[in-house]
C-alpha cells in the first residue's frame, strides 16, 4: 500500500528558524510542503521517512533565508496494480460505488466492475447486487459504512496545477458552455488521484 | 522538486504504523514549541492513517514476527508483492490466499494452501480481542 519515494528538493529556511537544528527545520518544512498532498504520477504523500543527503546551504542576495538542497525519502500511499485493499463504502451514485480508506477517499467502483447483475436503486441511492441462489434471488445492498474488499484495477492522475487565464471568455453563450450555476469562477473540482477498483467476485463482506 | 525514484522500496503497513507512532511521540514531546498551523496537513494524514492501520493486523506485529514470517515464507517461492499482501492482511481462508497469490491453482496445491494458512495464523499475531471471542464460542458449544 505504501512505497518509499526518493526525491530531491531545495528547502528554504527563513532566518527566524536559524536557531533550530537544521535537520528538524528541514523535516518540518518538507512535511509542511508535502504531507497529505498528491504528487503527480507518484501518489499521496504521507510523511517524511528520512533525509539521505544534505548539501551545503546557501544564502542568496536579496533574501535572508538559507537554501539547502536535500535528498530525502518520503512515504507515499501508492497501491500497486491488483493489490487487495479493505475500505468502507462512503456512498453510491450513478457513476458507481464510492469507497473510502480514511486517509484516501477517491476510490470508485464503476458499475461494470460490480458483480453482475447489479442495479442502482434510485429511491435509496444505493447499488444493489441481485444474486440468484437455488433458493431464489437475494438482494445485497451496498450500505454506507459497510466494509468492502476490493482489488485495484487502475489509477488516474490528473494534473491540477493552476492554468493561466483560460479561453472561457470566448464562448459565453455557446452550446458547450457549462451548465447554469457553474460559472468561470467555480470550476469543477477534480480529484488529482483516483483509484478505479473492482469488487472481488468472491465474498465481498466476509470480514 | 525532482522525483529521483518513484518506487525505491515497498513498505509494509507495519513499518508505516511504527514510523507514524514514533513521529507522534516525538511531536507530543515538542508540544512546548508553538504548534504551527502549517502542520495541519501532517496532523490530518497522520491521524487518518493511524486510525486506518490500527484496525489492520499490522497493529499487533513487531519486527521479530515479521522476520519470522518472511523466513517461513521462503520455501513457498512467493513474489515480494504476494508476501507483502499476506503480511498486511493475514488471510484466514483459502479464498483469501487465492486472491492474493497469482495463479494459485497452478502454483499451490490444496495442502500447500492449508499449510500457508496455518503458518500465517501461527506466526502472525492476530487481534487478541477477536481470538478471545472466537475461543469463547466453541467452549459455549461444548457446554451445550
Amino acid at each position: 500500500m505504501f512505497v518509499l519515494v526518493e526525491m530531491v528538493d531545495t528547502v528554504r529556511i527563513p532566518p527566524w528558524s536559524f536557531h533550530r537544528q537544521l535537520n528538524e527545520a528541514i523535516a518540518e518544512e518538507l512535511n509542511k510542503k508535502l504531507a497529505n498532498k498528491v504528487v503527480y504520477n507518484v501518489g499521496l504523500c504521507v510523511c517524511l521517512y528520512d533525509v539521505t543527503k544534505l548539501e551545503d546551504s546557501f544564502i542568496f542576495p536579496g533574501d535572508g533565508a538559507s537554501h539547502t538542497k536535500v535528498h530525502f525519502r518520503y512515504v507515499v500511499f501508492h497501491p500497486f496494480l491488483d493489490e487487495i485493499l479493505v475500505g468502507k463504502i462512503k456512498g453510491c451514485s450513478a457513476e458507481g460505488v464510492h469507497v473510502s480508506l480514511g486517509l484516501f477517499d477517491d476510490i470508485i467502483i464503476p458499475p461494470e466492475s460490480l458483480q453482475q447483475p447489479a442495479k442502482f436503486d434510485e429511491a435509496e441511492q444505493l447499488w444493489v447486487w441481485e444474486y440468484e441462489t437455488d433458493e431464489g434471488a437475494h438482494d445485497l445492498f451496498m450500505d454506507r459504512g459497510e466494509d468492502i474488499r476490493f482489488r485495484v484495477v487502475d489509477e488516474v492522475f490528473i494534473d491540477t496545477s493552476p492554468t493561466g487565464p483560460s479561453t472561457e471568455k470566448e464562448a459565453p453563450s455557446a452550446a458547450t458552455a457549462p451548465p447554469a450555476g457553474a460559472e468561470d469562477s467555480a470550476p469543477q473540482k477534480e480529484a488529482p488521484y483516483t483509484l478505479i477498483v473492482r469488487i472481488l467476485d468472491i465474498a465481498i463482506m466476509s470480514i | 522538486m525532482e522525483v529521483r525514484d518513484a518506487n525505491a522500496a515497498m513498505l509494509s503497513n507495519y513499518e508505516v504504523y511504527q514510523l507514524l507512532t514514533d513521529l507522534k511521540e516525538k511531536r507530543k514531546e515538542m508540544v512546548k514549541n508553538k504548534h504551527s498551523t502549517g502542520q495541519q496537513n501532517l496532523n490530518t494524514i497522520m491521524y487518518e492513517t493511524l486510525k486506518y492501520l490500527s484496525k489492520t493486523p499490522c497493529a499487533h506485529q513487531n519486527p521479530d514476527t515479521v522476520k519470522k514470517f518472511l523466513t517461513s515464507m521462503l520455501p513457498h517461492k512467493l513474489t515480494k508483492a504476494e508476501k507483502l499482501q499476506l503480511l498486511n492482511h493475514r488471510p484466514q481462508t483459502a479464498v483469501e490466499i487465492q486472491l492474493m497469490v497469482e495463479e494459485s491453482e497452478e502454483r499451490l496445491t490444496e495442502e500447500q494452501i492449508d499449510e500457508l494458512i496455518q503458518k500465517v495464523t501461527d506466526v502472525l499475531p492476530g487481534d487478541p480481542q477477536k481470538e478471545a471471542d472466537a475461543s469463547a464460542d466453541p467452549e459455549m458449544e461444548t457446554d451445550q
Side-chain angles (χ1 to χ4, degrees):
Chain A
M1 200 157 57
F2 297 99
V3 289
L4 215 53
V5 178
E6 284 178 6
M7 300 198 242
V8 182
D9 196 11
T10 310
V11 176
R12 179 182 182 270
I13 309 285
W16 47 87
S17 301
F18 280 172
H19 66 284
R20 299 178 66 185
Q21 284 286 331
L22 184 62
N23 285 21
E24 274 178 32
I26 286 187
E28 187 179 316
E29 285 299 316
L30 286 174
N31 277 329
K32 216 188 278 192
K33 178 173 181 181
L34 289 173
N36 207 17
K37 305 243 171 87
V38 171
V39 176
Y40 187 61
N41 279 343
V42 169
L44 173 70
C45 296
V46 175
C47 76
L48 181 71
Y49 185 74
D50 65 1
V51 171
T52 38
K53 187 165 155 196
L54 275 179
E55 296 185 18
D56 292 335
S57 307
F58 292 92
I59 297 185
F60 295 108
D63 183 8
S66 77
H67 296 79
T68 322
K69 196 161 178 192
V70 185
H71 299 242
F72 58 97
R73 293 189 289 190
Y74 220 86
V75 177
V76 175
F77 171 75
H78 189 188
F80 51 86
L81 197 63
D82 286 342
E83 183 169 358
I84 312 270
L85 292 174
V86 177
K88 273 196 165 33
I89 298 184
K90 211 171 51 168
C92 302
S93 73
E95 295 150 2
V97 181
H98 299 274
V99 183
S100 159
L101 282 182
L103 63 134
F104 186 68
D105 269 355
D106 300 308
I107 303 177
I108 185 150
I109 311 182
E112 310 83 62
S113 301
L114 290 170
Q115 297 98 329
Q116 299 302 331
K119 74 170 196 295
F120 189 51
D121 187 341
E122 291 288 337
E124 305 214 16
Q125 291 284 302
L126 291 175
W127 279 92
V128 185
W129 177 34
E130 315 155 317
Y131 79 96
E132 312 247 335
T133 60
D134 300 327
E135 295 119 26
H138 285 257
D139 277 354
L140 278 186
F141 281 85
M142 307 264 187
D143 291 320
R144 277 171 213 101
E146 288 276 340
D147 277 340
I148 188 165
R149 201 173 281 170
F150 53 86
R151 188 195 289 276
V152 176
V153 162
D154 198 11
E155 63 191 14
V156 180
F157 280 103
I158 298 179
D159 192 5
T160 51
S161 351
T163 51
S166 53
T167 53
E168 288 161 8
K169 295 188 187 121
E170 288 178 20
S173 54
T176 50
E183 296 180 300
D184 299 355
S185 53
Q188 283 284 14
K189 261 196 185 159
E190 285 178 333
Y193 179 32
T194 318
L195 280 178
I196 305 199
V197 305
R198 81 172 280 113
I199 212 173
L200 298 175
D201 298 327
I202 336 166
I204 45 162
M205 324 249 202
S206 65
I207 299 171
Chain B
M1 191 177 82
E2 189 198 327
V3 175
R4 276 281 155 85
D5 187 354
N7 217 329
M10 288 163 76
L11 291 172
S12 68
N13 287 6
Y14 170 69
E15 288 171 282
V16 178
Y17 183 71
Q18 198 61 23
L19 186 75
L20 289 174
T21 11
D22 288 344
L23 191 63
K24 196 162 129 189
E25 290 300 317
K26 262 192 265 173
R27 283 166 65 76
K28 261 199 220 159
E29 285 165 34
M30 285 175 22
V31 161
K32 303 167 227 134
N33 310 342
K34 54 173 166 56
H35 246 183
S36 48
T37 47
Q39 298 286 39
Q40 195 45 44
N41 271 330
L42 180 64
N43 293 343
T44 311
I45 190 89
M46 263 175 59
Y47 169 71
E48 292 285 355
T49 313
L50 278 173
K51 195 164 101 172
Y52 178 77
L53 289 177
S54 58
K55 293 199 214 114
T56 62
C58 79
H60 311 284
Q61 291 168 357
N62 58 58
D64 296 321
T65 53
V66 175
K67 207 159 79 174
K68 212 165 124 193
F69 174 75
L70 287 174
T71 27
S72 70
M73 286 292 126
L74 280 172
H76 292 278
K77 298 209 180 49
L78 298 168
T79 66
K80 205 193 251 189
E82 289 164 359
K83 282 187 275 197
L84 188 66
Q85 285 193 83
L86 292 178
L87 182 63
N88 286 342
H89 284 271
R90 195 177 179 255
Q92 306 266 285
T93 62
V95 165
E96 292 172 60
I97 304 255
Q98 278 167 356
L99 289 171
M100 295 179 196
V101 177
E102 274 177 67
E103 293 170 14
S104 52
E105 302 97 48
E106 295 166 13
R107 286 161 61 190
L108 300 172
T109 63
E110 272 204 40
E111 296 134 10
Q112 284 177 317
I113 295 187
D114 283 331
E115 202 189 320
L116 259 178
I117 300 176
Q118 199 54 42
K119 273 196 198 165
V120 165
T121 323
D122 290 337
V123 177
L124 294 178
D127 189 357
Q129 181 76 34
K130 278 199 205 135
E131 270 160 28
D133 295 339
S135 57
D137 290 337
E139 282 170 18
M140 281 167 60
E141 285 170 21
T142 50
D143 282 349
Q144 291 169 356

